[in-house]
Amino acid sequence: LEASGTHAFHLFKIVESLIEAVDFPRDIVRHLRLCVDRVVDSLAWTAGSPLWKLVQQNRGRGYSAVECQRPLVASTATSPKMSKGLSALQAFYRHLHRLCDTRLAQLSSELHLLNPVSKQRAAVIINRVLRDNPGLLRNRHLDHVIACGLFAAARAAQPSPPCPIRFAHILAAHRRVANLTGSSSTVAAGGQATDTLFRTVPLDNRGNAGDIIQFYNAVFTTEEGDHIRQVLACRLLTDEEAEAHLIIRSGTSSTLLLTSGIPSSKRIGYNFLTSSDKDVQAINAAILQHATKLLGKRQATSHHIGMELSPNAAKKLNLLSTSTTAR
């Protein structure tokens, strides 16, 4: 990057294209993907990055994991269905969500005191930041957000002292994963040592920095506190509970059928290519109706429905996400 004067975000686009277009040996592909990981976790988030212009053009937000899936275009008489390309920001976020999921899973497995519900809550908190508040990553590192999301979720499991997991536990887990996987492959922060990464976290745009605890107290909870409280107030359903009451079955690669134990004549179909906003509103109404039965009116109406579900079920519901209620 220094030799060519290329910004990290542009390198991401170049390397992704190369990997898809050229049949490199496996070791070279692995090396290139590690380079991409470092760009995605930190280098592309610097203040002068071209990434921020794309975020601004996208109304100051990023994308959910589902919004980064490749859409389809309708087939015609002369051509079959073809995969439609993602925007540069969607392609970046697609890799970001994959990387985040991997690192969150690795750290969670090392934090043996973290129960399944806490893991779900951490995922919801972190993914919300990536999608709706990407500015929190400016000049920072993806692992800062992951660590704060894990800590916030762990505190909810036991709000009164002593908290079952402290930042010291998270940092120790970070070191163990880095030692097991190699310094540049997963959570090792692109060559930065764990201690350095979490000891020097930007607190503002004026050059002030502190450790991860100061960042959590002064910045993370200030910007995300309301959302964290919403997530912690929700009862997360297991995948089995969600499937028992709200089933979204795939009809084709572009069509979903929503069923909720209601008569087949009232079941709602949704096609990504042809369905209108009214169809989405009808689906939102059905989701809200059955969420109300499960969770009570207060919880179902005061929070986004996606927060009530485990990550797998929530990802299904996010397929229906628009500017309306269900996200």
Side-chain angles (χ1 to χ4, degrees):
L1 291 175
E2 292 176 356
S4 65
T6 303
H7 197 281
F9 181 71
H10 295 315
L11 179 67
F12 163 80
K13 295 189 292 183
I14 293 169
V15 172
E16 283 286 286
S17 299
L18 278 175
I19 292 174
E20 291 184 3
V22 181
D23 187 19
F24 289 115
R26 184 178 302 174
D27 288 346
I28 294 181
V29 172
R30 180 177 180 274
H31 172 74
L32 291 174
R33 292 205 179 279
L34 294 178
C35 292
V36 169
D37 287 353
R38 186 175 180 188
V39 168
V40 170
D41 69 18
S42 57
L43 296 180
W45 297 103
T46 57
S49 173
L51 174 66
W52 296 113
K53 183 177 181 180
L54 298 181
V55 170
Q56 183 179 15
Q57 293 172 350
N58 197 44
R59 304 185 306 280
R61 69 186 297 272
Y63 290 99
S64 68
V66 174
E67 290 173 320
C68 298
Q69 293 180 353
R70 294 186 184 275
L72 299 173
V73 295
S75 59
T76 66
T78 58
S79 64
K81 282 186 179 180
M82 300 292 289
S83 174
K84 186 178 179 181
L86 299 173
S87 70
L89 186 60
Q90 284 177 307
F92 179 85
Y93 260 81
R94 188 182 189 190
H95 195 100
L96 175 66
H97 281 291
R98 288 176 178 174
L99 185 61
C100 181
D101 288 347
T102 298
R103 294 188 176 180
L104 180 60
Q106 290 170 329
L107 287 173
S108 296
S109 67
E110 289 292 327
L111 294 169
H112 303 296
L113 297 177
L114 198 63
N115 61 51
V117 172
S118 294
K119 294 178 184 178
Q120 294 175 27
R121 285 173 167 157
V124 173
I125 292 169
I126 294 165
N127 285 314
R128 190 270 174 185
V129 172
L130 301 184
R131 184 189 67 185
D132 294 335
N133 190 14
L136 200 58
L137 278 159
R138 187 183 298 268
N139 290 327
R140 299 186 181 104
H141 197 289
L142 174 63
D143 291 356
H144 296 151
V145 172
I146 294 176
C148 289
L150 283 168
F151 182 73
R155 288 194 65 183
Q158 186 174 330
S160 57
C163 178
I165 290 181
R166 304 193 306 270
F167 272 110
H169 297 131
I170 297 173
L171 270 58
H174 193 281
R175 292 188 200 94
R176 289 195 297 272
V177 174
N179 290 334
L180 288 172
T181 58
S183 61
S184 60
S185 58
T186 51
V187 298
Q192 286 180 289
T194 294
D195 291 343
T196 302
L197 175 68
F198 291 106
R199 188 180 296 146
T200 309
V201 185
L203 300 179
D204 53 36
N205 296 325
R206 299 185 298 275
N208 295 318
D211 61 24
I212 189 65
I213 298 175
Q214 291 173 297
F215 170 70
Y216 179 84
N217 291 330
V219 181
F220 194 84
T221 56
T222 299
E223 296 195 22
E224 292 296 314
D226 290 343
H227 172 72
I228 292 172
R229 284 187 286 273
Q230 288 179 355
V231 174
L232 302 185
C234 294
R235 183 179 76 88
L236 296 177
L237 303 182
T238 65
D239 288 340
E240 291 74 19
E241 288 176 316
E243 291 291 343
H245 296 278
L246 181 62
I247 304 173
I248 299 178
R249 296 186 309 192
S250 177
T252 67
S253 57
S254 62
T255 305
L256 295 176
L257 177 65
L258 176 69
T259 67
S260 303
I262 56 178
S264 58
S265 61
K266 295 183 179 181
R267 291 179 179 176
I268 305 169
Y270 183 83
N271 187 289
F272 290 105
L273 307 177
T274 61
S275 294
S276 66
D277 289 342
K278 290 184 179 179
D279 296 320
V280 177
Q281 292 171 4
I283 291 172
N284 284 333
I287 292 172
L288 182 60
Q289 177 184 353
H290 290 280
T292 301
K293 292 180 180 179
L294 286 173
L295 305 168
K297 184 175 180 180
R298 183 187 63 80
Q299 278 194 316
T301 57
S302 62
H303 306 304
H304 291 311
I305 300 302
M307 293 180 185
E308 310 292 346
L309 305 175
S310 62
N312 289 339
K315 284 182 179 180
K316 294 179 181 179
L317 291 185
N318 277 338
L319 287 169
L320 311 177
S321 175
T322 64
S323 59
T324 51
T325 304
R327 286 191 174 183

